[in-house]
Amino acid sequence: MNKNRAKRRFKKGLQYFVAALLAVITFFPLVITLLNSLKSNDEILLGMFNLPKVWQFSNYPSAIATANAVGSITRSLLVAIATLVLVIVVALPGAYAIARKSFKYLKGTYILFMAGVMVPVHCTLVSINRMANVVSGKNNYIFLVLVYAAFNLSQAIFLFTSYIRGIDRGLDEAAKIDGCGDTQILVHILLPLCAPIIATEAILVFIYGYSELIFSLILINKDSLYTVSRAMLNFTSNYTTSYGPEFAFIILSMIPMLIIYLILHEKVAEGMMAGAIKG
Amino acid sequence: MRIKSRRTRKELLTSLLFVLPGVLLTIIFVIYPVINTFWLSFNKWNGVGGSAVTWVGLENYTKVLTSEKFWNSMLNALYFMIGGFVVLMPIAFGMALLVTSKMKGTKFLKASYLMPVMLGTTAVGLMWKFMLNADFGVLAQALRGLGLGDWVINWLATPTVNIWCVVLVNEWMYAGYNMLIFAAGLVAIPQDIHDAALMDGCLGLKKLFYVTVPMCKNMFMVFSVTCITGCLKAFDIVYAMTGGGPVETSATPAILLYSQGFQYKLMGRSSAISIFLLVLGLILSLFLNNVVFKQEKN
C-alpha cells in the first residue's frame, strides 16, 4: 500500500516536471531574445546567455529608425485586417447560398472551393508573379490582399457552410414569409448567429495575413512597402554589424500577436482546431 | 405557378451574385495560375515580361528529375516527415496527455504550448537562427561552458545538420498546434472506457498503449495526413533560417522552386517542380484518405 502511494506520488511529480520542462523550452527562446534585445553589440558577442550588464534600451528606437520596424508592423496589421474583412465579406454570402439553396450548380461551386484546399500556395508563384507584372500588381497592396484572400477562401467557405447548415432553417422560412429577401435574411438573421464562427475565421486569417512570407517576397520589392516578415529578414541580413536592434525588431514584431493571444487564447485554440480538422 | 417561378428565378439570380465574387477570386488566383504553371512547365522562360516563351516539351521535367539538387530537396522533405513522426508526434501527444490530465494549471500549460504558433514563422526562424549561431549563440555558449567546445560547429552551414536544425525548430513551433488535435481526441474518449479499463486493472503504460492510443486513432490519422502532405510544402521556416543554403543543401522542394524561378530566372524549371509537387501531393492525400483511412474505418 505504502509502495503504491510512493509510486503514485513519483508519477505525479514526474508529470509536473515534464509539464514544466516543456513550458520552459517553449518560453526560453523568447526570454533569450528579449534579454539580448537589451544588450550592446559587444555584450551579445560575448554570448547570448549572459544577462545584460548595461541595459541598452536604445536598441528599440534604433530598430524603429533604421529598419522602420513600426512602419512595417503597421502595414502588416493593415494588410491582415483588409484580408480578413474581404474573406468574410466574400465567403459569407457564398456559404449562405451553398448551404441554403438547392440549385444544382452550387454543388459544383462548392467542389471548386474545396479543390482550392488541395492547391499548395507555391505551385502558383510563377503564374501569379507573371500576372502581377501584367496588371501592375507588383508593390500593390490591393493585389496582395486579393491573393491572400483567395487562398483563405476555401477554409472560410468550408467553416461557414457547415456552420450555417447547423442553424435551424425555420428562422429563414419565417423571415421569408414576413417578406425578407435573401440579403435581409443573411444580414439580419444569419450574420448575428454566425458571429462565433466569423470570429474564429477572422483570427485564422489575421494570423496568416500578419506573418505571410512567400507572396510578399515575390510581390513586394520596394523596401518602403515591406511587410513585417520581409522587413525583418532584410534587416537581419543587411545590418549584420549590430545585433541588438535586430533582436529588438524580432520582439517588436511579436508584440501585436502576443497581445491578441493574451486576450483571445481560447478563441485562437478553438479556431486552430476548426482549421485543423478540415484537412 | 408563375409567381413561384419568378421567385425561383430571382433566387437563382441572388445566389449567383452571392457566390460570384468567391468563384472569381478562386478562378483568377488559384485555378488559372495552376493551369498557367502547367503550361509554363513545358516552356522555357526567363520571367521577364516581353521575353520569349519557347516550347521545350518535357525538357524541364527531365532536367528536374535528373538533378541532384532536386532529389536532395526531396530528401530534406523526407527529413521533415521523419521529424514529424519521430519528434513532433510523441511530443504533441505527450502535451495533449498533460493538458487533458487532472493536474493543476492545465489551462496555463495549454495556452503556453500553443503560443509559438502565434509568433510568426519568420520571427521564430530568426530567433533560432541567432540561438544556433556558432560564435555567440546559446547552444554554442552552453557547450563551451560544459567543456564541450569541440562540439561547436556552424550548425546551420553544415549539410544535413542544417536541415535537421530547421526540422527541430519547426517541431518547436508546431508541437502545441498538434497537441490541440490529440487533445480533442483524448477528450472525446467516453468515461465508460476509462472505467472499464480501471475495472480490468489496466493502468499506466499498458492503458496508454492498449486503450488510449487506439481510441485516438482518428487523430493519429489526421496528424499523419497533415504531416505527410505538409512536408512537401515547408518554406517559411527554411527560408528564414538558412534560405535553403549553403548551396541549397537545406532546400526543401518549395525553396528550390522559389530559387530556380526567382533567383536563377528558370521559370519553366520552377513550374515543373510545382506541378510535380502538386501531383505528388494529390496522389498522397488521395491515397492516404481513400486507401489507408478507409481500411481503418472498416
Side-chain angles (χ1 to χ4, degrees), chain A residues 74-97:
Chain A
T74 316
R75 281 193 291 274
S76 278
L77 287 173
L78 291 177
V79 166
I81 291 167
T83 309
L84 81 86
V85 170
L86 184 63
V87 166
I88 289 162
V89 168
V90 169
L92 198 61
Y96 167 75

Side-chain angles (χ1 to χ4, degrees), chain B residues 193 214 235 268 287:
Chain B
I193 289 180
F235 180 90
F287 173 75

Side-chain angles (χ1 to χ4, degrees), chain B:
Chain B
M1 202 58 206
R2 245 183 97 182
I3 295 174
K4 206 182 167 190
S5 83
R6 196 193 296 157
R7 199 163 148 190
T8 42
R9 203 177 308 150
K10 201 188 155 207
E11 262 185 51
L12 180 65
L13 199 69
T14 328
S15 75
L16 271 172
L17 285 175
F18 278 10
V19 293
L20 194 64
V23 169
L24 283 179
L25 271 179
T26 309
I27 289 177
I28 295 173
F29 293 108
V30 184
I31 308 292
Y32 167 73
V34 171
I35 297 168
N36 191 243
T37 304
F38 183 68
W39 177 73
L40 276 173
S41 73
F42 299 104
N43 287 278
K44 203 174 192 165
W45 183 48
N46 66 6
V48 180
S51 69
V53 181
T54 37
W55 182 267
V56 293
L58 287 170
E59 193 194 298
N60 289 320
Y61 287 95
T62 50
K63 282 256 170 72
V64 164
L65 294 175
T66 52
S67 89
E68 212 172 295
K69 265 185 194 172
F70 175 72
W71 291 107
N72 185 56
S73 78
M74 288 298 283
L75 183 68
N76 287 340
L78 187 70
Y79 290 154
F80 259 91
M81 192 179 97
I82 296 172
F85 282 108
V86 178
V87 183
L88 184 59
M89 192 171 80
I91 294 180
F93 189 70
M95 282 177 167
L97 283 174
L98 287 170
V99 299
T100 54
S101 72
K102 286 183 188 114
M103 63 193 285
K104 280 176 201 141
T106 49
K107 260 191 181 171
F108 169 77
L109 287 175
K110 193 174 165 190
S112 312
Y113 296 159
L114 186 61
M115 183 266 313
V117 206
M118 291 296 288
L119 304 175
T121 322
T122 310
V124 167
L126 289 174
M127 231 165 33
W128 281 95
K129 183 183 166 182
F130 284 123
M131 304 234 310
L132 292 168
N133 185 299
D135 297 324
F136 57 81
V138 171
L139 185 59
Q141 199 188 355
L143 286 174
R144 286 198 190 102
L146 293 170
L148 298 168
D150 296 347
W151 292 20
V152 176
I153 51 167
N154 195 349
W155 293 283
L156 292 177
T158 313
T160 317
V161 180
N162 53 9
I163 188 69
W164 274 103
C165 289
V166 178
V167 168
L168 291 176
V169 172
N170 189 62
E171 321 310 28
W172 177 83
M173 187 169 174
Y174 288 103
Y177 175 77
N178 290 290
M179 161 198 79
L180 286 181
I181 299 178
F182 290 122
L186 289 172
V187 172
I189 299 176
Q191 188 57 42
D192 306 8
I193 289 180
H194 290 298
D195 296 343
L198 191 66
M199 293 270 281
D200 292 343
C202 181
L203 285 164
L205 283 179
K206 214 165 144 197
K207 185 186 167 198
L208 181 66
F209 286 111
Y210 289 104
V211 180
T212 317
V213 171
M215 287 302 290
C216 287
K217 211 185 239 166
N218 277 341
M219 296 301 162
F220 282 102
M221 277 297 161
V222 171
F223 175 85
S224 307
V225 174
T226 16
C227 177
I228 294 171
T229 53
C231 76
L232 294 172
K233 300 178 192 162
F235 180 90
D236 294 20
I237 192 84
V238 189
Y239 192 84
M241 285 183 71
T242 67
V247 262
E248 283 162 339
T249 47
S250 62
T252 52
I255 292 276
L256 194 65
L257 81 85
Y258 173 80
S259 67
Q260 293 286 302
F262 296 91
Q263 283 165 13
Y264 302 120
K265 305 290 176 198
L266 300 166
M267 293 299 177
R269 205 74 62 80
S270 170
S271 303
I273 302 175
S274 302
I275 296 300
F276 182 83
L277 288 184
L278 177 67
V279 173
L280 185 63
L282 283 178
I283 293 173
L284 282 175
S285 82
L286 284 177
F287 173 75
L288 290 170
N289 281 317
N290 294 319
V291 183
V292 185
F293 206 18
K294 210 168 207 172
Q295 273 176 352
E296 289 302 325
K297 269 183 207 155
N298 292 337

Side-chain angles (χ1 to χ4, degrees), chain A residues 149-203:
Chain A
F151 281 95
N152 278 285
L153 267 184
S154 327
Q155 172 169 274
I157 296 266
F158 174 79
L159 291 179
F160 291 167
T161 307
S162 36
Y163 197 85
I164 292 176
R165 280 190 180 137
I167 296 172
D168 185 14
R169 252 168 198 274
L171 288 168
D172 306 25
E173 301 298 334
K176 218 180 252 176
I177 289 163
D178 289 343
C180 281
D182 282 321
T183 319
Q184 280 163 306
I185 294 178
L186 180 62
V187 174
H188 296 300
I189 298 176
L190 289 174
L191 187 66
L193 289 174
C194 287
I197 196 74
I198 291 175
T200 299
E201 174 62 18
I203 289 173

Side-chain angles (χ1 to χ4, degrees), chain A:
Chain A
M1 207 61 202
N2 227 344
K3 211 175 137 195
N4 244 339
R5 227 168 98 192
K7 211 174 141 192
R8 211 179 310 147
R9 259 183 56 202
F10 171 74
K11 250 182 77 184
K12 217 172 160 190
L14 190 70
Q15 210 178 19
Y16 277 97
F17 174 74
V18 173
L21 184 70
L22 286 168
V24 168
I25 295 172
T26 306
F27 285 113
F28 179 69
L30 279 186
V31 176
I32 287 286
T33 308
L34 182 65
L35 284 177
N36 283 281
S37 74
L38 297 167
K39 293 203 290 204
S40 70
N41 215 38
D42 295 341
E43 278 193 59
I44 293 169
L45 291 174
L46 285 175
M48 283 172 73
F49 247 133
N50 311 342
L51 280 171
K53 285 193 196 87
V54 187
W55 297 78
Q56 189 95 11
F57 290 101
S58 64
N59 284 336
Y60 282 83
S62 149
I64 292 166
T66 45
N68 196 3
V70 172
S72 64
I73 290 168
T74 316
R75 281 193 291 274
S76 278
L77 287 173
L78 291 177
V79 166
I81 291 167
T83 309
L84 81 86
V85 170
L86 184 63
V87 166
I88 289 162
V89 168
V90 169
L92 198 61
Y96 167 75
I98 291 169
R100 286 295 196 246
K101 305 291 168 192
S102 46
F103 301 113
K104 269 200 186 124
Y105 82 94
L106 287 169
K107 272 202 184 118
T109 317
Y110 189 64
I111 292 169
L112 175 81
F113 286 129
M114 290 311 109
V117 185
M118 310 296 285
V119 176
V121 171
H122 43 256
C123 293
T124 60
L125 292 183
V126 172
S127 304
I128 285 183
N129 177 56
R130 193 174 184 215
M131 205 192 295
N133 281 326
V134 176
V135 300
S136 56
K138 283 278 177 82
N139 295 317
N140 183 334
Y141 277 155
I142 296 176
F143 191 82
L144 190 70
V145 168
L146 286 172
V147 172
Y148 283 3
F151 281 95
N152 278 285
L153 267 184
S154 327
Q155 172 169 274
I157 296 266
F158 174 79
L159 291 179
F160 291 167
T161 307
S162 36
Y163 197 85
I164 292 176
R165 280 190 180 137
I167 296 172
D168 185 14
R169 252 168 198 274
L171 288 168
D172 306 25
E173 301 298 334
K176 218 180 252 176
I177 289 163
D178 289 343
C180 281
D182 282 321
T183 319
Q184 280 163 306
I185 294 178
L186 180 62
V187 174
H188 296 300
I189 298 176
L190 289 174
L191 187 66
L193 289 174
C194 287
I197 196 74
I198 291 175
T200 299
E201 174 62 18
I203 289 173
L204 290 179
V205 180
F206 187 81
I207 298 172
Y208 167 88
Y210 181 75
S211 45
E212 202 279 340
L213 175 65
I214 195 160
F215 281 121
S216 72
L217 273 178
I218 61 164
L219 294 175
I220 310 285
N221 50 35
K222 241 190 234 159
D223 46 0
S224 61
L225 291 175
Y226 278 171
T227 55
V228 67
S229 312
R230 195 62 207 286
M232 216 165 13
L233 278 171
N234 194 51
F235 188 50
T236 45
S237 59
N238 282 0
Y239 297 78
T240 36
T241 40
S242 65
Y243 294 106
E246 293 174 18
F247 287 112
F249 194 168
I250 296 174
I251 293 291
L252 284 173
S253 83
M254 298 188 298
I255 287 175
M257 299 314 261
L258 284 174
I259 291 173
I260 291 173
Y261 191 60
L262 217 55
I263 306 167
L264 293 171
H265 57 90
E266 293 207 346
K267 197 75 203 166
V268 171
E270 199 183 289
M272 298 246 159
M273 201 52 227
I277 292 304
K278 168 209 72 183

